[in-house]
C-alpha cells in the first residue's frame, strides 16, 4: 500500500445547523485518505474515543460540532426547554469520550455557556444557530491561534538545525498548521531549513503515521526514529531542541502530553538541550495546581499486544497502557503560546500570560 499524497483538512463542517461533520479518519493514515460523515453524536463520540480524530484542539473542535449534531434529534415542534435538556445531555455524553485533553472540556463548556444564555422566547432554529456559530468560532479561532504559536515559536529555533518532536501536534491535531509543527512550518515559511527527527510514538505511532507524513507533505526534512533512539540521537548532537504539544497544562506549568514525552524531557535535560512545549491557552487548566491532578487516560491492552494487525505479545500477558504522562515544569525551558513565551515556567508567569 502506498502513502496518501493529497493533503486534507482533518475537520470540515458541511451545511448549516442541520448539516454534518466530516472528519478525516486519522487511524487510516498514512496509506488511506478516507473521510467519515458524522450525523449523530454517537459517531462523533466513537471518532474521538477511537482516535479517528485526535490531538487536543481537534478533539475540542469536533466535540463542539458534535453538540450541533446531537440536538438535531429534537423536533421543531418541541420547546426550548426540550432543546436545552438535549443539548446538556449531549455535552455530558461527549465529555465521557476521553479524559486527558482539557480542550475537550473547554470547548464543551463554551457550548454549555451558549445553552445557558438561551432565553425562553428564543426560537429553536435560532438556538441551534447559536450552537453552530459557537462551534465555528472555536474552529476559526484555533486556526489563528496555531499561526500565532508558530510565529512566537520560530524565534526559539534561531540557532537550531536539528529538532526532535513526539506524537503529532500538527495540522491533523488542530484546525490547521498545528502547535509544535506550526513552529516548524513557520520556520520553513521564513526560509529556515530544519531537520526534524520524529519519534514513532508507540503504541499508536502518531509520529510515524501522522507527523512524518505531514512534514513530508510540506517538504521538511524528516527522519523517523523509534522512541528508544532519542538518547542516542541527542548524544550524537543531531538535535539542538525538542518541541512537543500538550494535552493539559496545570497552573504551575506541569504539562501532560503523549506517553514518552516526560522521558524525552529528562533526556533533554541530561544532554543540555532545551525542551519546549507549544500549546494554546485552551490547553491550560488553571483550576488545577499541579500535574498530579491531571487524569491520565488508560487505553486498551490490545494497542500494545495486537497493534496494527499482528499479535506481538503472549496471550493473557498483563499490560499497563497509560496514553499520557506529565512533564514537570522544571524540565520545560518555555511554553510557546499564542500570546508569547512563558519563560521561565512558573506559576506566576503562567497566570500572568493565561489567567
Ligand atoms: O492520543 P492523541 O493522539 O490524541 O495524543 C495527542 C497528543 O499527545 C498531542 O501531542 C497533543 O494533543 C497536542 S496536539 C496539538
Amino acid at each position: 500500500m502506498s502513502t496518501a499524497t493529497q493533503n486534507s483538512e482533518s475537520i470540515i463542517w458541511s451545511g448549516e445547523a442541520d448539516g454534518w461533520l466530516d472528519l478525516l479518519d486519522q487511524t487510516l493514515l498514512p496509506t488511506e485518505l478516507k473521510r467519515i460523515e458524522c450525523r449523530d453524536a454517537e459517531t462523533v463520540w466513537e471518532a474521538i474515543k477511537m482516535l479517528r480524530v485526535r490531538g487536543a484542539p481537534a478533539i475540542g473542535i469536533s466535540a463542539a460540532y458534535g453538540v450541533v449534531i446531537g440536538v438535531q434529534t429534537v423536533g421543531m415542534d418541541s420547546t426550548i426547554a426540550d432543546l436545552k435538556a438535549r443539548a446538556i445531555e449531549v455535552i455530558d455524553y461527549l465529555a465521557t469520550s476521553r479524559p486527558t485533553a482539557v480542550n475537550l472540556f473547554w470547548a464543551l463548556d463554551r457550548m454549555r455557556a451558549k445553552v445557558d444564555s438561551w432565553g425562553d422566547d428564543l426560537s429553536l432554529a435560532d438556538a441551534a444557530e447559536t450552537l453552530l456559530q459557537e462551534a465555528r468560532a472555536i474552529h476559526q479561532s484555533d486556526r489563528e491561534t496555531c499561526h500565532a504559536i508558530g510565529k512566537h515559536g520560530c524565534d526559539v529555533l534561531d540557532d537550531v538545525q536539528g529538532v526532535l518532536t513526539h506524537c503529532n501536534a500538527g495540522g491533523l491535531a488542530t484546525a490547521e498548521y498545528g502547535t509544535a509543527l506550526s513552529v516548524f512550518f513557520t520556520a520553513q515559511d521564513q526560509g529556515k531549513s530544519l531537520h526534524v527527527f520524529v519519534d514513532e510514538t508507540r503504541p499508536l505511532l502518531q509520529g510515524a503515521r501522522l507527523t512524518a507524513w505531514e512534514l513530508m507533505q510540506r517538504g521538511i526534512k524528516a527522519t523517523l526514529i523509534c522512541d528508544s533512539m532519542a538518547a542516542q540521537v541527542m548524544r550524537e548532537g543531531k538535535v539542538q531542541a525538542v518541541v512537543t504539544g500538550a494535552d493539559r497544562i496545570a497552573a504551575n506549568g506541569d504539562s501532560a502530553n503523549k506517553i514518552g514525552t516526560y522521558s524525552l524531557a529528562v533526556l533533554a535535560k541530561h544532554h543540555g538541550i532545551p525542551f519546549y512545549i507549544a500549546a494554546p491557552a485552551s490547553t491550560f487548566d488553571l483550576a488545577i495546581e499541579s500535574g498530579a491532578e491531571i487524569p491520565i487516560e488508560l487505553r486498551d491492552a490490545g494497542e500494545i499486544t495486537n497493534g496494527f494487525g499482528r499479535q506481538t505479545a503472549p496471550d493473557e500477558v498483563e499490560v499497563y497502557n497509560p496514553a499520557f504522562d506529565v512533564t514537570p515544569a522544571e524540565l520545560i525551558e518555555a511554553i510557546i503560546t499564542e500570546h508569547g513565551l512563558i519563560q521561565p515556567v512558573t506559576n506566576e508567569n503562567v497566570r500572568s500570560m493565561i489567567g
Side-chain angles (χ1 to χ4, degrees):
M1 210 175 279
S2 63
T3 301
T5 52
Q6 179 195 344
N7 204 348
S8 201
E9 272 189 69
S10 57
I11 303 167
I12 298 172
W13 178 261
S14 290
E16 299 305 319
D18 58 353
W20 66 93
L21 179 63
D22 184 328
L23 296 174
L24 181 65
D25 186 346
Q26 297 187 34
T27 63
L28 303 176
L29 286 169
T31 51
E32 221 180 313
L33 269 177
K34 192 173 158 212
R35 306 199 67 91
I36 324 158
E37 262 183 35
C38 303
R39 291 181 182 270
D40 54 48
E42 289 73 19
T43 308
V44 178
W45 188 95
E46 195 269 352
I48 296 173
K49 177 78 187 168
M50 300 312 292
L51 276 58
R52 299 187 199 288
V53 62
R54 36 117 342 254
I59 294 172
I61 297 162
S62 303
Y65 285 126
V67 178
V68 182
I69 298 167
V71 301
Q72 291 169 354
T73 57
V74 177
M76 279 299 160
D77 54 347
S78 308
T79 64
I80 191 80
D82 295 332
L83 193 70
K84 257 190 197 183
R86 173 64 184 157
I88 298 301
E89 182 183 45
V90 174
I91 288 167
D92 290 343
Y93 166 66
L94 290 170
T96 64
S97 54
R98 291 189 78 189
T100 303
V102 77
N103 306 61
L104 173 70
F105 309 99
W106 170 85
L108 289 172
D109 282 350
R110 279 185 57 165
M111 300 305 278
R112 196 186 299 271
K114 272 291 143 204
V115 174
D116 289 345
S117 75
W118 291 346
D120 290 341
D121 53 352
L122 191 66
S123 76
L124 267 62
D126 286 349
E129 180 60 24
T130 66
L131 292 179
L132 177 60
Q133 289 316 322
E134 191 65 0
R136 283 196 198 280
I138 290 169
H139 195 173
Q140 177 56 25
S141 74
D142 191 60
R143 288 191 180 95
E144 291 152 19
T145 293
C146 287
H147 286 279
I149 288 173
K151 291 203 175 84
H152 288 298
C154 244
D155 299 342
V156 310
L157 297 183
D158 269 353
D159 300 318
V160 167
Q161 288 82 46
V163 63
L164 177 61
T165 193
H166 190 71
C167 195
N168 173 266
L172 292 164
T174 59
E176 67 182 30
Y177 242 53
T179 55
L181 293 202
S182 175
V183 176
F184 310 154
F185 296 155
T186 309
Q188 184 197 38
D189 293 344
Q190 295 182 0
K192 186 171 176 60
S193 98
L194 273 180
H195 183 173
V196 183
F197 286 80
V198 181
D199 269 358
E200 64 176 353
T201 317
R202 280 276 290 156
L204 295 180
L205 307 184
Q206 289 93 332
R209 295 186 303 102
L210 309 176
T211 298
W213 182 73
E214 280 199 57
L215 291 169
M216 290 171 75
Q217 293 274 307
R218 286 183 186 262
I220 293 182
K221 186 168 184 201
T223 298
L224 181 64
I225 58 170
C226 301
D227 301 347
S228 52
M229 297 169 187
Q232 182 66 11
V233 165
M234 289 182 191
R235 201 175 66 77
E236 289 175 9
K238 289 184 160 50
V239 296
Q240 296 81 43
V242 179
V243 186
T244 76
D247 287 83
R248 190 185 297 227
I249 304 175
N252 70 347
D254 290 353
S255 300
N257 190 49
K258 178 54 56 193
I259 191 76
T261 304
Y262 173 30
S263 44
L264 271 189
V266 173
L267 290 175
K269 186 72 159 187
H270 181 76
H271 290 90
I273 295 169
F275 175 90
Y276 298 98
I277 292 277
S282 55
T283 297
F284 286 76
D285 183 355
L286 299 188
I288 61 172
E289 278 308 314
S290 84
E293 296 167 71
I294 299 177
I296 300 294
E297 178 180 15
L298 293 179
R299 292 191 62 89
D300 197 81
E303 291 179 351
I304 294 180
T305 59
N306 287 269
F308 304 99
R310 179 168 183 262
Q311 182 169 340
T312 52
D315 289 336
E316 312 297 331
V317 68
E318 188 179 308
V319 168
Y320 180 50
N321 185 16
F324 299 94
D325 57 27
V326 176
T327 299
E330 70 255 27
L331 296 179
I332 304 170
E333 176 67 24
I335 303 177
I336 305 159
T337 76
E338 67 270 42
H339 305 305
L341 262 58
I342 300 174
Q343 186 177 30
V345 182
T346 60
N347 203 307
E348 197 185 17
N349 287 346
V350 167
R351 288 194 187 274
S352 74
M353 183 77 79
I354 305 297

